[in-house]
Amino acid sequence: MFENTKAFSGFSVDDLGKAKEFYGGTLGLRVTEEERMGHLVLHLAGDTKVLVYPKDNHEAASFTILNFPVDDVEKAVDDLTAKGVRFERYEGFETDDKGIVREGGGPVIAWFKDPAGNVLSVLDESM
């Protein structure tokens, strides 16, 4: 039924200006503003789009909303740390000093948050 639709996901933030700066400036994504609807669109590889919309009573997602596969997690963490991004540490996941999980059966991964508190990750693209 939906196999040929161009589905997209979306998530809320509490401040579109901060979101635009973070996703466009810090992460280097192409971000467009949809003035008519009052939201942002993140343009990802493969013509994938993600809707970012403002919500007055925004509550940050407690789960990972976007995963960014990279060829070198440590380099991505170093680059983002240099831009002021802080990496999260979660109970049950042993991390190194940089906040990277390297063991436990899953991919090499590191979690961080956007300005609205939503959880994102960089992870080994060969997962």
Side-chain angles (χ1 to χ4, degrees), residues 1-2 8 11 50 123:
M1 178 174 179
F2 296 119
F8 63 92
F11 59 89
V50 177
L123 70 153

mmCIF file of all heavy atoms in Angstrom, residues 1-2 8 11 50 123:
data_model
loop_
_atom_site.group_PDB
_atom_site.id
_atom_site.type_symbol
_atom_site.label_atom_id
_atom_site.label_comp_id
_atom_site.label_asym_id
_atom_site.label_seq_id
_atom_site.Cartn_x
_atom_site.Cartn_y
_atom_site.Cartn_z
ATOM 1 N N MET A 1 0.803 -1.204 0.000
ATOM 2 C CA MET A 1 0.000 0.000 0.000
ATOM 3 C C MET A 1 0.850 1.275 0.000
ATOM 4 O O MET A 1 0.584 2.184 -0.738
ATOM 5 C CB MET A 1 -0.929 -0.041 1.203
ATOM 6 C CG MET A 1 -1.778 1.152 1.365
ATOM 7 S SD MET A 1 -2.903 0.832 2.726
ATOM 8 C CE MET A 1 -3.757 2.337 2.769
ATOM 9 N N PHE A 2 1.874 1.318 0.865
ATOM 10 C CA PHE A 2 2.701 2.514 0.960
ATOM 11 C C PHE A 2 4.101 2.317 0.398
ATOM 12 O O PHE A 2 4.966 3.171 0.582
ATOM 13 C CB PHE A 2 2.820 2.966 2.417
ATOM 14 C CG PHE A 2 1.520 3.394 3.020
ATOM 15 C CD1 PHE A 2 1.009 2.735 4.122
ATOM 16 C CD2 PHE A 2 0.819 4.456 2.493
ATOM 17 C CE1 PHE A 2 -0.179 3.125 4.686
ATOM 18 C CE2 PHE A 2 -0.378 4.852 3.051
ATOM 19 C CZ PHE A 2 -0.884 4.189 4.152
ATOM 20 N N PHE A 8 8.362 10.369 5.356
ATOM 21 C CA PHE A 8 9.359 11.154 6.068
ATOM 22 C C PHE A 8 9.005 11.142 7.543
ATOM 23 O O PHE A 8 7.873 10.857 7.923
ATOM 24 C CB PHE A 8 9.430 12.598 5.536
ATOM 25 C CG PHE A 8 8.160 13.372 5.721
ATOM 26 C CD1 PHE A 8 7.961 14.152 6.848
ATOM 27 C CD2 PHE A 8 7.157 13.311 4.770
ATOM 28 C CE1 PHE A 8 6.789 14.856 7.030
ATOM 29 C CE2 PHE A 8 5.981 14.020 4.932
ATOM 30 C CZ PHE A 8 5.797 14.788 6.069
ATOM 31 N N PHE A 11 10.120 15.613 14.052
ATOM 32 C CA PHE A 11 10.210 15.724 15.501
ATOM 33 C C PHE A 11 10.074 17.183 15.892
ATOM 34 O O PHE A 11 10.258 18.084 15.081
ATOM 35 C CB PHE A 11 11.514 15.114 16.036
ATOM 36 C CG PHE A 11 12.772 15.735 15.490
ATOM 37 C CD1 PHE A 11 13.357 16.836 16.111
ATOM 38 C CD2 PHE A 11 13.372 15.221 14.351
ATOM 39 C CE1 PHE A 11 14.513 17.397 15.605
ATOM 40 C CE2 PHE A 11 14.531 15.773 13.846
ATOM 41 C CZ PHE A 11 15.102 16.871 14.476
ATOM 42 N N VAL A 50 13.614 15.354 6.713
ATOM 43 C CA VAL A 50 13.084 15.225 8.062
ATOM 44 C C VAL A 50 12.476 16.572 8.440
ATOM 45 O O VAL A 50 13.113 17.619 8.294
ATOM 46 C CB VAL A 50 14.187 14.836 9.072
ATOM 47 C CG1 VAL A 50 13.625 14.786 10.485
ATOM 48 C CG2 VAL A 50 14.821 13.504 8.703
ATOM 49 N N LEU A 123 27.362 6.795 14.609
ATOM 50 C CA LEU A 123 27.691 5.402 14.781
ATOM 51 C C LEU A 123 28.447 4.896 13.568
ATOM 52 O O LEU A 123 28.384 5.497 12.501
ATOM 53 C CB LEU A 123 26.446 4.547 15.038
ATOM 54 C CG LEU A 123 25.486 4.348 13.880
ATOM 55 C CD1 LEU A 123 24.742 3.034 14.064
ATOM 56 C CD2 LEU A 123 24.472 5.479 13.839
#
